[in-house]
């Protein structure tokens, strides 16, 4: 009898433990599945009179934009670029940022910067350095592919469910995976990498692939080129472009590379965080994908992190930070949105450095970023 009671006692204890675990699991479901905090939204600026404009905005609209009746079906939805006001104060911050780079022995001629202050909802201001110079953006091109993907989904050009691409989108933007980006670009343009083509077949393939350029060019992103994939692509076993992708690049002595200005990257970041890019719903999804955790515990042990050596490394951890980086052995680039919790500083900073010296240097981007943050945070919202 004593043995039976002992067994019963232990069985009851085990049942209680199992019940407690089950209850704990159920109670913590909302905490385990909850989404990260909502990405902040930039308040769109109030209209300003011509007298208040200090100088024409740097981002120019195309003189030959298609009208609503003749615009292509697959085209970016915002036809009019933002209209920020040039700020001499911000120009001083940008100029000192350039000085930070040159003080480290880095070449200024291969550097571009756009600074966009959106802390005041009545007037958004900007300044830049070589900010309309087309440069190789490396993986910042994936920022544009993300926007085009959501447009293709919403317009029914991509007929599969968005959920089928969830992993590739997260990999492309979160860790800048080239394999995922290759599949996304193929799906947007209805193309595939492969052997060389000729004649009409080649022309059809080129037209399809380069429609990713016209998608943005028709909306005022003048001369942007983002039709070339990033390499290496492991599932294709390609260290660099071959076959038709090599034909797309043209003459080997002067290959056609992806080309973007820092103003263009800043514009897209701005339109995502004002919930205008593609649609309000799509912009919200893109902002989630761009969100980064600056706590060193979240990235220091991750070899694929996009924080070390970039704009986020030197910033406080208790802020909102969203960004897309680009990095190769010959370049370093990043487009970022920064917002303090008290809204003293809300700005977009884009830095492209198309030179091997910047690729090797892991101190310039963090130093520039911290300088810009300290200046804007100390000043508070622009007046």
């Amino acid at each position: 009898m004593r043995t039976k009671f002992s067994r019963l006692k232990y069985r009851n204890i085990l049942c209680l433990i199992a019940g407690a675990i089950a209850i704990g699991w159920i109670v913590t479901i909302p905490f385990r599945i909850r989404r990260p905090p909502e990405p902040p939204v930039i308040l769109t600026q109030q209209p300003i009179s011509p007298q208040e404009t200090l100088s024409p905005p740097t981002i120019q609209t195309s003189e030959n934009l298609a009208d609503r009746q003749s615009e292509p079906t697959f085209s970016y939805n915002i036809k009019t670029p933002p209209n920020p006001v040039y700020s001499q104060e911000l120009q001083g911050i940008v100029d000192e940022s350039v000085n930070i780079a040159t003080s480290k022995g880095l070449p200024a001629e291969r550097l571009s910067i756009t600074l966009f202050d959106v802390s005041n909802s009545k007037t958004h201001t900007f300044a830049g350095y070589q900010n309309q110079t087309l440069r190789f953006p490396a993986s910042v091109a994936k920022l544009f592919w993300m926007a085009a993907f959501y447009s293709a989904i919403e317009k029914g050009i991509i007929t599969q469910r968005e959920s089928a691409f969830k992993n590739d989108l997260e990999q492309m933007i979160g860790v800048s995976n080239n394999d995922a980006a290759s599949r996304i670009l193929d799906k947007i343009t209805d193309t595939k990498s492969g052997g060389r083509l000729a004649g009409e077949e080649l022309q059809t393939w080129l037209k399809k692939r380069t429609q990713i350029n016209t998608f943005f060019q028709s909306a005022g992103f003048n001369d942007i080129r983002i039709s070339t994939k990033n390499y290496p692509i492991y599932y294709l076993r390609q260290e660099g472009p071959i076959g038709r992708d090599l034909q797309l690049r043209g003459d080997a002595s002067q290959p056609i590379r992806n080309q973007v200005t820092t103003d263009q990257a800043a514009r897209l970041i701005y339109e995502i965080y004002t919930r205008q890019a593609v649609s309000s719903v799509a912009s919200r999804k893109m902002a989630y994908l761009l969100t980064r955790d600056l706590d060193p515990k979240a990235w220091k042990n991750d070899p694929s992190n996009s924080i070390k050596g970039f704009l986020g490394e030197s910033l406080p951890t208790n802020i909102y930070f969203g960004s897309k980086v680009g990095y190769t052995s010959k370049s370093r680039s990043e487009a970022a949105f920064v917002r303090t919790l008290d809204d003293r500083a809300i700005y977009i900073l884009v830095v492209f450095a198309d030179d091997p010296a910047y690729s090797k240097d892991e101190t310039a981007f963090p130093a520039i970023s911290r300088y810009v943050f300290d200046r804007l945070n100390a000043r508070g919202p622009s007046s």
Side-chain angles (χ1 to χ4, degrees):
M1 288 292 291
R2 190 173 296 149
T3 303
K4 287 182 179 179
F5 278 122
S6 297
R7 288 175 180 171
L8 182 62
K9 180 175 68 173
Y10 289 123
R11 187 173 64 185
N12 287 342
I13 291 172
L14 290 173
C15 288
L16 286 171
I17 292 172
I21 292 172
I23 292 170
W25 186 85
I26 293 170
V27 169
T28 59
I29 284 177
F31 300 97
R32 287 184 284 106
I33 65 172
R34 67 182 179 182
R35 302 184 75 176
E38 181 77 13
V41 181
I42 299 173
L43 296 176
T44 52
Q45 62 184 348
Q46 300 295 323
I48 56 177
S49 65
Q51 291 88 340
E52 293 175 309
T53 304
L54 300 182
S55 77
T58 302
I59 302 174
Q60 303 289 335
T61 56
S62 171
E63 295 179 359
N64 300 312
L65 288 183
D67 57 30
R68 292 283 179 180
Q69 289 73 28
S70 61
E71 69 174 326
T73 302
F74 187 52
S75 176
Y76 185 63
N77 62 303
I78 304 298
K79 306 304 177 187
T80 304
N83 186 34
V85 175
Y86 174 76
S87 166
Q88 193 61 54
E89 179 191 10
L90 291 187
Q91 191 62 58
I93 296 174
V94 170
D95 291 345
E96 184 55 35
S97 298
V98 176
N99 291 337
I100 290 172
T102 56
S103 69
K104 296 176 179 291
L106 300 171
E109 63 272 14
R110 305 299 295 170
L111 179 67
S112 290
I113 299 176
T114 294
L115 178 58
F116 205 158
D117 180 20
V118 294
S119 59
N120 187 318
S121 61
K122 293 182 178 180
T123 306
H124 295 163
T125 56
F126 83 98
Y129 174 75
Q130 300 191 117
N131 42 319
Q132 288 191 334
T133 299
L134 290 162
R135 296 200 185 282
F136 178 64
S139 287
V140 176
K142 294 166 185 170
L143 173 71
F144 292 85
W145 297 342
M146 173 178 66
F149 170 83
Y150 277 108
S151 180
I153 283 284
E154 292 199 358
K155 292 183 177 181
I157 294 170
I158 295 176
T159 56
Q160 291 171 263
R161 289 181 178 272
E162 181 186 326
S163 58
F165 305 94
K166 181 177 183 294
N167 185 63
D168 275 345
L169 282 168
E170 291 176 348
Q171 288 290 305
M172 179 178 77
I173 301 300
V175 297
S176 209
N177 183 278
N178 290 341
D179 286 27
S182 170
R183 289 187 288 266
I184 291 291
L185 183 59
D186 281 349
K187 182 57 65 173
I188 296 168
T189 59
D190 189 28
T191 59
K192 286 186 178 180
S193 296
R196 294 178 67 86
L197 299 173
E200 187 175 340
E201 193 176 11
L202 173 61
Q203 294 308 311
T204 298
W205 187 91
L206 291 172
K207 184 176 180 180
K208 283 185 173 183
R209 174 61 72 79
T210 55
Q211 69 180 321
I212 191 70
N213 298 334
T214 56
F215 174 84
F216 286 102
Q217 288 171 358
S218 64
F221 291 79
N222 298 337
D223 300 319
I224 191 172
R225 274 201 308 268
I226 47 172
S227 52
T228 300
K229 292 183 176 182
N230 298 113
Y231 295 89
I233 301 173
Y234 295 108
Y235 81 97
L236 295 176
R237 299 179 182 178
Q238 293 180 8
E239 290 295 320
I242 63 173
R244 63 197 70 172
D245 286 290
L246 192 58
Q247 290 175 288
L248 170 67
R249 294 190 67 169
D251 187 350
S253 63
Q254 290 185 318
I256 297 172
R257 306 169 76 207
N258 287 342
Q259 298 281 277
V260 178
T261 71
T262 52
D263 274 356
Q264 290 168 345
R267 172 186 169 182
L268 184 53
I269 288 283
Y270 175 84
E271 288 165 352
I272 288 171
Y273 283 95
T274 50
R275 299 280 173 86
Q276 299 180 84
V278 182
S279 69
S280 178
V281 172
S283 290
R284 186 167 173 263
K285 292 175 181 177
M286 288 188 273
Y288 270 116
L289 289 169
L290 292 168
T291 300
R292 303 285 176 261
D293 187 347
L294 295 182
D295 189 334
K297 294 177 183 178
W299 59 265
K300 272 206 167 179
N301 296 322
D302 179 6
S304 62
N305 79 81
S306 59
I307 307 298
K308 183 174 174 55
F310 289 92
L311 301 177
E313 182 182 7
S314 59
L315 297 180
T317 58
N318 61 337
I319 64 171
Y320 175 82
F321 184 75
S323 88
K324 182 69 196 77
V325 304
Y327 177 79
T328 71
S329 61
K330 297 180 180 180
S331 67
R332 186 182 295 267
S333 55
E334 184 168 8
F337 172 64
V338 179
R339 185 170 188 170
T340 59
L341 300 184
D342 59 5
D343 287 351
R344 283 187 62 82
I346 314 173
Y347 62 91
I348 294 163
L349 177 62
V350 182
V351 184
F352 287 177
D354 192 11
D355 188 278
Y358 287 93
S359 176
K360 297 173 184 176
D361 184 280
E362 292 189 340
T363 64
F365 273 50
I368 290 171
S369 180
R370 186 68 199 208
Y371 173 74
V372 172
F373 176 84
D374 287 344
R375 284 289 302 272
L376 294 182
N377 190 47
R379 182 202 63 182
S382 61
S383 56

